Amino acid sequence: MCGIIGYVGKKNSVPFIIDGLKKLEYRGYDSAGISILQEGKLVTVRAVGKVAELEKAALLANPKGQCGIGHTRWATHGKPCEENSHPHTDCTGEIVVVHNGIIENFLTLREKLSSLGHRFKSETDTEVIAHLIEENLKTACGATPKERLINAVRKTNGEISGAYAYGVLWAQVPGFLLGVKNQSPMVVGLGKDENFLSSDVPAFLKHTNKVLFLEDGEMAELTETGVKLLDKNGAEKPLKPVKINWDQKTAEKGGYEHFMLKEIYDQPQAIEDTLRTAQTDFGKLLNLNTRELRALQQVHIIACGTAYHAGLVGKYYIENFAGIPVTVDLASEYKYRCVPRTAGTLAIAVSQSGETADTIGAIRKAKELGFKTLAICNVLASTLTRVCDATFYTHCGPEISVASTKAFTSQLTSLYALALFLGKAKGNISEASFNSLYKELLTLSKFMADAVKIEYDVRHITKRVYKAPHFLFLGRNVNFPIALEGALKLKEVSYRSAEGFAAGEIKHGPISIIEKGTPTIVLMPADSLFEKMLSACQECRARGAFVIAVTTQEGARLAKDSVDKTIILPYAGELLQPVLNVVALQ
Ligand code: F6R
């Protein structure tokens, strides 16, 4: 994932671009760069590291110009270094490209372009785009350089494959930016006498909240005075901007030390906002009538990473309340496995961004198999929501932290609500049970507001264990996916090794990795599986583990002789407790 931004307007573009890149750092931060059109010449400044490094370099170089593009990178092809940072140029140095995504056929194209005399300066897939545009310009039709550029870019799009969104600037067409989208996000901000191109809205939200979400295959032409949208055949399309109601403050850190912490604290609100709209009858949302809903035979949940863990919890919810068999697949696996074409299948894609290529690819496959498709997604008008038959939106606001927190708990909340609606529609739970269970669900945000207060207890305990090289997380049943999520979060944020296990499995091998002091975090609320979890603690302790119980008041009392430390959470009920337990692990 990378972040791109472009500005064209009456003012110096540099501050807009640098500021926009800072807002996009959550998309990647190993290097960054800008290209500014200054008096007919492109001035490019790039730096390894965070955008702050680029800012310092830009202050020294001091480029000025009313049109420019910028990029913040998370390396996928070629190591993080200045040569591999974007923007990338062609041989003439007059075309610059910033790109987010992966050009799958870049090696073949690179060979072909090299044989035609193009000289490559980086190891990236992106650079082929710049050279391909240069090559295609040689034969592009058009009365003006602008028309020729558009045609060359269209031809280029026909030659590259993969997921990409990119911005192009050509020194021969001053004050003109082109944006292209295919399976990676691209949005346009419509301002007054200025327009913006970006991977995401926070990059320009300070300046405009009028946003155009590009569809796959579309191209946007930006000048200071306007924006033109072209479909994949090159025909002009009417602009249908959306007004975004997130204010800049919502998109920023809100006074917390870092975005992840802010987003952990956003969770009570995110759950409340998500439930506000969940009242909508899921049957209507799916465009199915009760008879069709009753005919549902199975559910496939498809997702990646943290969203996959939400899907694993969702399986327990749907099977429990609706009695419908559920399979949960990693999207990257679903795409390649043989999925039987079973009638009465509902495929659910869970994704915060709605732009994860594997999830989109997998849900497309489900559609091809004739399944009804539902997205549980956080981003309005994202690709996934346009592919699926229906969308249930989690309402978390923008997720800036790379590590997903509030999106996860909102996904769990949505899946719980969906399971209740499916259960009612299938006749698996009565109207009365539905009402009382839904009422319980509505209290979740209050429990969450108490749960986030454990920060200081957790900080205290982490001081004791943070130097450990390896961590274990154990859970059972509906808390097993939470153990997986705890391990993922720890790996992602601390770069330490961590593994999550179903507590009943440790005796089948994993216990051998426990040594003296191995921090072992055990999810053990005082519920029906408490006794089993207690014996898992004793087994681990016998091997020398330092056991930290994530539990409830009652659990802490019962476990006091079997664990080393306790983190005490409020108790929301057996099936809702995972939503609170994960907060301790975040
Ligand atoms: C982990 C994390 C990732 C995402 C995954 C899917 O903290 O953020 O594992 O959950 O990349 O992303 P979305 O939900 O946007 O499809």
Side-chain angles (χ1 to χ4, degrees):
M1 194 161 82
C2 301
I4 62 186
I5 170 108
Y7 171 93
V8 53
K10 284 193 188 309
K11 300 177 189 144
N12 180 17
S13 58
V14 178
F16 288 92
I17 295 174
I18 298 278
D19 190 50
L21 289 179
K22 286 183 183 163
K23 304 284 180 322
L24 292 174
E25 266 194 318
Y26 75 96
R27 302 185 62 84
Y29 38 80
D30 63 40
S31 54
I34 54 172
S35 282
I36 309 297
L37 192 60
Q38 178 172 315
E39 292 161 6
K41 282 216 160 58
L42 283 166
V43 182
T44 296
V45 183
R46 303 186 294 185
V48 174
K50 296 195 127 197
V51 176
E53 299 304 316
L54 173 71
E55 192 174 21
K56 283 185 216 154
L59 272 174
L60 281 176
N62 199 23
K64 285 197 175 69
Q66 293 158 345
C67 181
I69 51 180
H71 187 272
T72 176
R73 180 167 187 252
W74 185 252
T76 56
H77 291 77
K79 59 186 176 299
C81 62
E82 200 172 322
E83 297 71 47
N84 288 336
S85 343
H86 301 218
H88 289 287
T89 62
D90 66 329
C91 297
T92 66
E94 290 198 331
I95 299 166
V96 278
V97 172
V98 283
H99 161 232
N100 167 39
I102 292 173
I103 307 297
E104 284 167 3
N105 58 341
F106 89 101
L107 278 175
T108 323
L109 290 169
R110 193 176 160 118
E111 264 174 37
K112 187 178 138 197
L113 289 160
S114 299
S115 72
L116 292 170
H118 290 262
R119 292 286 158 262
F120 284 82
K121 299 169 285 294
S122 77
E123 303 162 293
T124 65
D125 51 340
T126 303
E127 198 183 341
V128 298
I129 305 176
H131 289 276
L132 206 50
I133 296 173
E134 177 192 10
E135 189 59 33
N136 289 333
L137 269 169
K138 292 178 186 161
T139 52
C141 319
T144 60
K146 182 167 146 184
E147 280 175 26
R148 288 179 49 230
L149 176 65
I150 293 166
N151 287 328
V153 168
R154 288 195 56 215
K155 183 154 185 239
T156 299
N157 294 341
E159 291 171 297
I160 54 179
S161 59
Y164 52 85
Y166 67 92
V168 190
L169 184 57
W170 188 23
Q172 293 195 24
V173 196
F176 181 69
L177 275 180
L178 255 186
V180 172
K181 172 183 163 33
N182 183 48
Q183 294 181 46
S184 290
M186 164 82 63
V187 291
V188 168
L190 304 165
K192 190 171 174 304
D193 298 330
E194 58 190 14
N195 291 300
F196 303 82
L197 192 68
S198 180
S199 307
D200 202 358
V201 178
F204 54 67
L205 193 56
K206 216 192 226 172
H207 313 291
T208 179
N209 67 351
K210 258 174 89 181
V211 180
L212 205 63
F213 289 88
L214 266 60
E215 301 272 348
D216 283 345
E218 285 181 353
M219 258 173 35
E221 300 177 23
L222 283 78
T223 61
E224 159 192 323
T225 50
V227 171
K228 211 164 131 182
L229 190 63
L230 305 179
D231 71 12
K232 53 176 173 266
N233 303 314
E236 191 170 345
K237 282 184 78 175
L239 303 186
K240 289 190 184 144
V242 182
K243 211 163 164 198
I244 295 291
N245 290 324
W246 305 336
D247 57 13
Q248 192 63 37
K249 219 173 124 255
T250 316
E252 290 177 12
K253 273 188 282 188
Y256 290 98
E257 232 173 291
H258 50 75
F259 279 115
M260 186 174 169
L261 194 56
K262 172 192 174 289
E263 290 172 9
I264 289 171
Y265 276 95
D266 279 348
Q267 290 179 112
Q269 190 64 50
I271 289 176
E272 200 169 317
D273 291 347
T274 298
L275 283 175
R276 194 166 293 134
T277 54
Q279 297 280 8
T280 322
D281 187 328
F282 271 89
K284 259 188 234 141
L285 196 68
L286 289 167
N287 214 8
L288 295 170
N289 60 35
T290 307
R291 190 180 51 79
E292 283 173 314
L293 270 174
R294 281 178 185 257
L296 261 188
Q297 294 304 310
Q298 58 173 353
V299 171
H300 290 179
I301 301 181
I302 299 160
C304 301
T306 288
Y308 168 72
H309 297 151
L312 290 173
V313 178
K315 173 182 164 74
Y316 290 93
Y317 290 165
I318 296 171
E319 291 185 342
N320 188 72
F321 293 127
I324 307 170
V326 180
T327 59
V328 190
D329 278 76
L330 290 163
S332 52
E333 292 296 314
Y334 191 86
K335 281 202 291 189
Y336 302 106
R337 85 165 162 90
C338 171
V339 180
R341 194 184 287 273
T342 312
T345 302
L346 168 68
I348 304 173
V350 185
S351 172
Q352 186 285 131
S353 62
E355 299 295 349
T356 302
D358 284 327
T359 307
I360 294 164
I363 206 76
R364 283 205 166 109
K365 172 174 174 173
K367 263 193 117 168
E368 279 159 26
L369 288 165
F371 304 159
K372 276 268 169 195
T373 52
L374 169 71
I376 294 183
C377 187
N378 191 43
V379 179
L380 186 81
S382 55
T383 307
L384 184 71
T385 67
R386 297 196 300 270
V387 172
C388 287
D389 298 321
T391 299
F392 178 77
Y393 283 106
T394 50
H395 290 272
C396 311
E399 183 189 83
I400 309 293
S401 164
V402 173
S404 177
T405 53
K406 60 180 179 175
F408 179 68
T409 46
S410 296
Q411 286 160 355
L412 296 184
T413 307
S414 313
L415 285 161
Y416 194 96
L418 171 64
L420 292 181
F421 277 100
L422 284 176
K424 185 169 72 158
K426 286 284 278 181
N428 208 52
I429 51 173
S430 67
E431 183 83 31
S433 314
F434 172 87
N435 289 339
S436 98
L437 287 161
Y438 204 84
K439 215 165 136 196
E440 247 173 59
L441 178 61
L442 291 175
T443 61
L444 184 60
S445 64
K446 291 201 175 58
F447 282 108
M448 183 56 93
D450 284 337
V452 291
K453 291 182 190 150
I454 57 167
E455 181 190 345
Y456 296 96
D457 296 347
V458 177
R459 273 184 193 266
H460 180 70
I461 293 173
T462 50
K463 277 193 187 137
R464 168 75 174 72
V465 295
Y466 78 98
K467 285 189 177 152
H470 184 73
F471 292 74
L472 284 188
F473 291 84
L474 303 182
R476 225 179 154 128
N477 194 259
V478 75
N479 280 307
F480 166 45
I482 304 301
L484 298 178
E485 173 59 9
L488 171 64
K489 215 88 292 170
L490 193 96
K491 284 185 270 209
E492 194 183 13
V493 175
S494 70
Y495 305 162
R496 292 296 166 84
S497 148
E499 283 184 271
F501 291 108
E505 274 296 295
I506 50 163
K507 56 182 170 294
H508 299 292
I511 201 155
S512 32
I513 58 174
I514 295 180
E515 41 190 50
K516 193 167 169 356
T518 300
T520 302
I521 297 96
V522 185
L523 302 168
M524 48 186 301
D527 62 13
S528 63
L529 290 168
F530 182 77
E531 295 295 332
K532 301 247 174 238
M533 296 308 298
L534 206 58
S535 61
C537 292
Q538 284 149 3
E539 282 169 51
C540 295
R541 260 187 138 199
R543 292 273 177 153
F546 182 79
V547 174
I548 302 165
V550 175
T551 184
T552 48
Q553 201 75 54
E554 175 65 356
R557 189 181 66 77
L558 297 170
K560 73 176 183 328
D561 297 328
S562 309
V563 304
D564 296 288
K565 291 278 175 196
T566 49
I567 296 171
I568 300 174
L569 287 160
Y571 187 60
E574 195 145 343
L575 289 176
L576 284 175
Q577 198 61 16
V579 190
L580 305 186
N581 284 341
V582 76
V583 177
L585 313 190
Q586 291 169 348

